[in-house]
């Protein structure tokens, strides 16, 4: 059960104290306080964990400071969509809004290889009005002898250049909780010129200790990649691990499933699950066409498979696109064969805009037939 408190309710206020102590004394119930800090207000939610069936929502709703009480089902208690659950979806981070109504493109380097590549990509992003990017510093590789990423040594120039080129948010994968401190320290040393969306990759999605550590911090929101060989339910539960530890600013990202049934693509493209994840949870849903397709192959119409699957995901309502670009893919140290070229960025972005327009028109069409679907927001960040 989730008890939503009135906005900006001070923890020292008598209303808060009275409500919190009443709930804390309920037998067999564990009480956890969770705060969502938005740009203008602080929202407090109290989670009641345990045998809540016999509790009366009406009684709890009369406690001082309580806005609303939501009875949640067993599945995805915090991030899930529950009956009568009108809680706002999404969050704002460093000037960028992430929700089930917005769309942000994160085009950038799969792996940072040199300062020059970072600069070239960020210049192109700035020229195309893009405030977000991806920059891999810590790379999880199948082969221990492959390039593992420059790690903390590249962070200061990546952040500095981001600040110079107007980049507000960088998606950056971490593979160990110590990387959080390295990123935080580098941001502090460079004057916090940008934001970081901490990425947890497909290989680490069931690294529960890493999930818990990332969930315990609130400096950074999280981009969680779907597990490539587990069920959707298991992947969504991994997201719930983050939220249950206190960080519910999570974007869930589809990236294809590992099976030869998807050949010749690197992974079986699973973007048909965009609306499914939006229905089951309140998380914004991203797609990663690069790791799904894994090549620069194109159809006879001249359009790259990466672009075709991107438009499929965006036309289905995706909220974030994570895509590999490189100024010189042949020289990329990781995943060069799937990287788009820097000069293809305007083409890619225009193709995304067309697909987003298609989604918005499809949404309006659905509303005209049903009159119930909520309105999507505008083309944020594209
Ligand atoms: C990546 O985005 O660089 C990556 C390694 O992705 P995934 O975890 O989906 O394989
Ligand atoms: Mn990669």
């Amino acid at each position: 059960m989730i008890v939503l408190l009135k906005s900006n309710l001070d923890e020292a206020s008598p209303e808060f104290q009275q409500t919190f102590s009443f709930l804390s004394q309920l037998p067999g119930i564990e009480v956890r306080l969770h705060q969502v800090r938005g740009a203008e207000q602080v929202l407090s939610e109290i989670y009641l964990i345990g045998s809540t069936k016999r509790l009366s929502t009406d009684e709890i709703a009369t406690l001082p400071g309580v806005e609303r009480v939501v009875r949640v089902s067993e599945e995805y208690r915090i991030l899930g969509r529950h009956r009568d659950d009108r809680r706002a979806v999404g969050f704002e981070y460093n000037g960028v809004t992430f929700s089930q109504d917005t769309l942000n493109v994160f085009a950038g380097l799969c792996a940072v290889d040199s300062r020059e590549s970072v600069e070239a990509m960020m210049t192109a992003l700035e020229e195309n009005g893009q405030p977000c990017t991806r920059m891999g510093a810590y790379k999880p590789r199948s082969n221990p002898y492959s390039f593992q990423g420059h790690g903390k040594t590249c962070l200061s120039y990546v952040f500095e250049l981001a600040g110079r080129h107007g980049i507000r948010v960088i998606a950056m994968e971490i593979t160990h909780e110590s990387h959080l401190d390295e990123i935080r320290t580098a941001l502090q040393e460079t004057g916090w010129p940008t934001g970081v969306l901490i990425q947890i990759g497909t290989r680490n999605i069931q690294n529960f200790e890493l999930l818990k550590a990332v969930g315990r911090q609130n400096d950074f929101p999280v981009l969680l990649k779907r597990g490539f060989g587990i069920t959707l339910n298991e992947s969504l539960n991994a997201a719930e691990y983050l939220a249950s530890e206190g960080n519910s600013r999570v974007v869930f990202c589809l990236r294809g499933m590992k099976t030869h049934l998807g050949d010749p693509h690197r992974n079986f493209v699973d973007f048909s699950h965009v609306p499914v994840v939006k229905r089951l949870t309140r998380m914004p849903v991203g797609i990663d066409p690069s790791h799904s397709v894994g090549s620069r192959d194109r159809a006879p119409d001249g359009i790259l498979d990466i672009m075709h699957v991107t438009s499929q995901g965006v036309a289905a309502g995706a909220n974030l696109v994570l895509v590999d670009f490189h100024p010189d893919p042949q020289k990329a140290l990781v995943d060069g064969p799937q990287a788009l070229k820097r000069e293809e960025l305007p083409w890619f972005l225009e193709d995304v805009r067309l697909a987003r327009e298609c989604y918005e028109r499809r949404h309006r069409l659905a509303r005209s037939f049903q009159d119930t679907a909520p309105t999507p927001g505008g083309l944020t960040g594209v």
Side-chain angles (χ1 to χ4, degrees):
M1 189 178 282
I2 301 180
V3 181
L4 307 167
L5 302 182
K6 295 193 172 120
S7 57
N8 295 322
L9 191 67
D10 193 337
E11 270 183 53
S13 67
E15 291 106 305
F16 181 94
Q17 293 290 330
Q18 202 179 323
T19 298
F20 198 79
S21 75
F22 176 90
L23 298 172
S24 306
Q25 280 160 28
L26 292 169
I29 301 287
E30 186 196 331
V31 177
R32 280 196 211 167
L33 176 65
H34 181 73
Q35 288 191 321
V36 185
R37 281 176 198 280
E40 272 146 35
Q41 54 182 10
V42 180
L43 292 175
S44 299
E45 299 178 346
I46 299 177
Y47 301 133
L48 304 183
I49 299 158
S51 42
T52 53
K53 275 206 183 75
R54 59 198 165 70
L55 299 181
S56 153
T57 49
D58 288 346
E59 186 189 3
I60 294 172
T62 62
L63 294 170
V66 173
E67 175 82 33
R68 214 149 31 84
V69 183
V70 178
R71 199 180 271 291
V72 300
S73 50
E74 282 304 301
E75 289 287 74
Y76 328 129
R77 291 181 189 194
I78 301 170
L79 295 171
R81 234 174 229 296
H82 306 287
R83 215 153 53 85
D84 303 326
D85 189 354
R86 301 186 305 273
R87 282 178 297 160
V89 174
F91 57 91
E92 197 246 333
Y93 174 62
N94 210 32
V96 180
T97 305
F98 297 85
S99 82
Q100 288 196 342
D101 292 333
T102 55
L103 176 60
N104 297 296
V105 175
F106 282 66
L109 301 176
C110 175
V112 171
D113 43 18
S114 69
R115 188 188 170 101
E116 291 65 40
S117 299
V118 175
E119 174 119 57
M121 268 325 295
M122 288 190 181
T123 304
L125 290 164
E126 188 176 24
E127 282 166 6
N128 285 278
Q130 293 300 298
C132 303
T133 188
R134 57 160 296 147
M135 289 284 150
Y138 307 93
K139 298 306 299 176
R141 305 303 304 279
S142 306
N143 184 333
Y145 307 111
S146 303
F147 173 61
Q148 305 281 311
H150 284 310
K152 70 174 174 187
T153 58
C154 68
L155 298 181
S156 52
Y157 69 75
V158 169
F159 296 155
E160 228 172 77
L161 288 167
R164 231 182 277 166
H165 291 282
I167 300 292
R168 313 288 306 169
V169 185
I170 302 175
M172 182 176 278
E173 178 167 359
I174 63 164
T175 53
H176 191 272
E177 67 173 285
S178 59
H179 300 155
L180 282 172
D181 285 334
E182 293 179 2
I183 290 172
R184 205 181 284 109
T185 305
L187 282 169
Q188 268 155 7
E189 284 171 1
T190 50
W192 220 285
T194 187
V196 174
L197 177 64
I198 296 289
Q199 191 174 317
I200 297 185
T202 195
R203 294 162 185 81
N204 269 313
I205 193 167
Q206 287 193 313
N207 180 342
F208 299 113
E209 297 312 315
L210 180 63
L211 292 171
K212 286 188 214 166
V214 174
R216 276 194 295 269
Q217 60 77 40
N218 253 299
D219 287 335
F220 310 108
V222 187
L223 180 67
L224 180 67
K225 294 286 208 69
R226 178 189 192 161
F228 57 33
I230 58 175
T231 64
L232 181 62
N233 174 268
E234 287 164 331
S235 287
L236 296 178
N237 268 310
E240 194 67 16
Y241 258 94
L242 296 161
S244 71
E245 293 290 331
N247 192 346
S248 51
R249 295 185 300 168
V250 185
V251 180
F252 188 79
C253 187
L254 301 169
R255 47 82 69 217
M257 304 299 290
K258 202 184 243 329
T259 157
H260 291 303
L261 300 179
D263 291 355
H265 289 160
R266 180 176 175 183
N267 288 289
F268 196 95
V269 183
D270 55 350
F271 300 166
S272 55
H273 278 171
V274 167
V276 177
V277 180
K278 287 172 90 170
R279 178 168 71 240
L280 293 173
T281 78
R282 301 179 304 124
M283 288 184 279
V285 182
I287 52 172
D288 177 343
S290 306
H291 288 83
S292 297
V293 168
S295 75
R296 291 180 44 82
D297 290 344
R298 64 182 78 214
D301 56 18
I303 302 173
L304 279 79
D305 287 11
I306 287 179
M307 296 197 190
H308 271 301
V309 302
T310 301
S311 58
Q312 288 156 16
V314 171
N319 306 116
L320 184 149
V321 179
L322 189 72
V323 56
D324 291 1
F325 271 79
H326 197 282
D328 189 354
Q330 302 236 357
K331 293 203 184 125
L333 296 178
V334 184
D335 284 348
Q338 71 192 26
L340 300 181
K341 298 178 191 156
R342 186 186 37 172
E343 56 273 21
E344 289 169 335
L345 185 63
W347 173 20
F348 182 82
L349 292 171
E350 189 54 28
D351 207 38
V352 169
R353 272 186 210 108
L354 285 177
R356 176 66 181 182
E357 202 179 301
C358 170
Y359 172 68
E360 295 194 337
R361 289 175 65 175
R362 291 181 60 230
H363 192 263
R364 280 198 292 277
L365 179 68
R367 262 198 308 161
S368 72
F369 277 89
Q370 301 168 78
D371 237 15
T372 50
T375 329
L379 265 174
T380 311
V382 183

